[in-house]
Amino acid sequence: MVAETKLYDALSVSPTASQDEIKKAYRKAALKHHPDKNKDTTGAGEKFKEVSQAYEILSDPEKRKVYDEYGLDFLLRGGAEAPPAGAAGGMPGGAGFAGMPGGFGGMPGMGGGGGGGTRSFHFSTGGGPGGSGGFSFSNPESIFADFFKQGGAGMGDDDDVFAQFTGGAGGSSRNGGGRSRFRESGGRRRVPTPEVTTVEKPLLLSLEDLFKGVHKKMKIKRKTYDDGSGKRKLEDKVLEMDILPGYKAGTKLKFAGVGDQEEGGTQDLHFIIQEKPHEIFKREGDNLRMYVDLDLKEALTGWTRTIPTIDGKKFTLSKGGPTGPGYVETYPHQGMPNSKKPDQRGDMLVEVRVKFPTSLTTAQKTQLKEIL
């Protein structure tokens, strides 16, 4: 028979629960109620404190024994004297723990075991009344971190779920070297937790798409937590993005909070534009360069070519010769648009390359010498 069951009730276990059952219960509850995973859920932070501090006592055989025999108040006061019979861990006369400093609100619906009627209670992080040196709870985040540093009690194949909260056993932290954040509670600084990871993925686009702009839809798979079981699950999410005319390789399209869930929240996802190689044009900023290959005869005597543009127009380019290697014909405003000034375009540059023969006969050499 235990003096009270409040801490057991916080973890939804019976007073006869084994250490393994207590660890499993804490593991599930801590994941479900962690404040970084429930930023918009009222009361999640308080519930996280309750289950963490309940675990801190019940996971320690000595503290659990004192709690079972005399109750929480006796433990918080440092065991100065045993509570009178019938008080069942509360203050004499069955009063609640509302006066405990540093604690947080009572848990509705959790009455005390034993006599004294239904009571609320407070956990304390500042010791017993008057600073008498009683038991003082650790920061809930420290309890959480220590639990998983010890391997999360060897809870099975899905330990990697929790490794993402601590960067500890079972997996590696995915914060990518970002800043670490600290939260303070009760004047104490918690262990650092990683910033939300930013995941970068390439987005391969054709030069034509980057010239005219395009609307893209992309389906991704993201890892989330199931609130009921606390386990990882995969879900599909469709992202939509507008590629503006003139975007360049290296441009980032940023989506906040759409990736995998992890301790600091949900990952950000950045798509980085990459240009597909084009069969005709090579991009140089807002300019486009293309090449015309001539044999030596054409370069010396003249040539004509039809020159395409990125937007489907065609120009005729003729030269009477001779045309030297590296000659460039410029077509103003026929290049790529400027993404910040859509009414402005770069130029199209047509460069000549001359193919020289690899060998000549003696007669050909003689003729060329006579001509040149």
Side-chain angles (χ1 to χ4, degrees), residues 33 35 38 79 81 88 122 146 177 210 239 282 307 314 321 372:
H33 298 293
N38 296 275
E81 57 180 313
H122 274 61
D146 289 343
L210 293 172
L239 303 178
K282 178 181 178 182
I307 306 299
K314 292 183 178 180
L372 299 175

Side-chain angles (χ1 to χ4, degrees), residues 5-196:
T5 63
K6 299 179 184 70
L7 300 186
Y8 293 103
D9 293 340
L11 293 175
S12 300
V13 296
S14 72
T16 60
S18 66
Q19 282 297 308
D20 190 51
E21 289 173 328
I22 288 172
K23 289 175 181 177
K24 287 182 178 179
Y26 172 64
R27 180 180 186 270
K28 180 178 179 179
L31 174 61
K32 180 178 181 180
H33 298 293
H34 195 283
D36 285 341
K37 188 173 160 252
N38 296 275
K39 293 181 179 179
D40 299 325
T41 303
T42 303
E46 296 301 303
K47 185 64 178 176
F48 177 71
K49 293 178 185 177
E50 292 170 6
V51 299
S52 296
Q53 294 177 333
Y55 172 74
E56 184 176 25
I57 289 179
L58 298 182
S59 63
D60 185 312
E62 291 185 5
K63 294 185 182 71
R64 182 180 180 182
K65 182 178 179 181
V66 174
Y67 172 72
D68 286 348
E69 291 185 13
Y70 301 112
L72 182 62
D73 183 42
F74 182 74
L75 186 63
L76 294 175
R77 288 188 286 109
E81 57 180 313
M91 290 187 175
F97 292 104
M100 283 293 172
F104 55 91
M107 299 165 66
M110 281 188 163
T118 300
R119 303 187 302 275
S120 64
F121 73 99
H122 274 61
F123 288 130
S124 172
T125 56
S132 61
F135 172 73
S136 178
F137 282 109
S138 302
N139 187 308
E141 291 286 356
S142 297
I143 299 170
F144 181 77
D146 289 343
F147 177 79
F148 295 111
K149 283 179 181 177
Q150 297 167 6
M155 291 297 162
D157 294 336
D158 57 343
D159 279 348
D160 64 313
V161 170
F162 296 94
Q164 295 182 57
F165 279 77
T166 62
S172 60
S173 172
R174 295 184 290 170
N175 92 3
R179 294 180 294 113
S180 292
R181 298 173 303 148
F182 293 84
R183 291 193 177 189
E184 295 186 2
S185 176
R188 299 184 183 187
R189 205 179 192 200
R190 80 167 213 188
V191 294
T193 56
E195 283 291 301
V196 178

Side-chain angles (χ1 to χ4, degrees), residues 294-303 319-325 354 356-357 368 371-372:
L294 306 178
D295 59 32
L296 183 58
K297 179 181 177 180
E298 289 179 309
L300 292 173
T301 62
W303 54 276
K319 291 294 176 182
T323 305
V354 179
F356 287 86
L368 285 173
I371 296 172
L372 299 175

Side-chain angles (χ1 to χ4, degrees), residues 215-229:
H215 181 79
K216 288 280 187 181
K217 289 186 179 181
M218 184 173 297
K219 183 165 73 172
I220 64 169
K221 290 188 179 295
R222 59 194 295 258
K223 296 177 182 178
T224 61
Y225 293 106
D226 182 85
D227 290 333
S229 65

Side-chain angles (χ1 to χ4, degrees), residues 275-288:
E275 293 178 3
K276 293 179 181 179
H278 197 275
E279 61 180 2
I280 297 176
F281 298 107
K282 178 181 178 182
R283 186 172 184 177
E284 299 174 353
D286 290 337
N287 294 335
L288 292 175

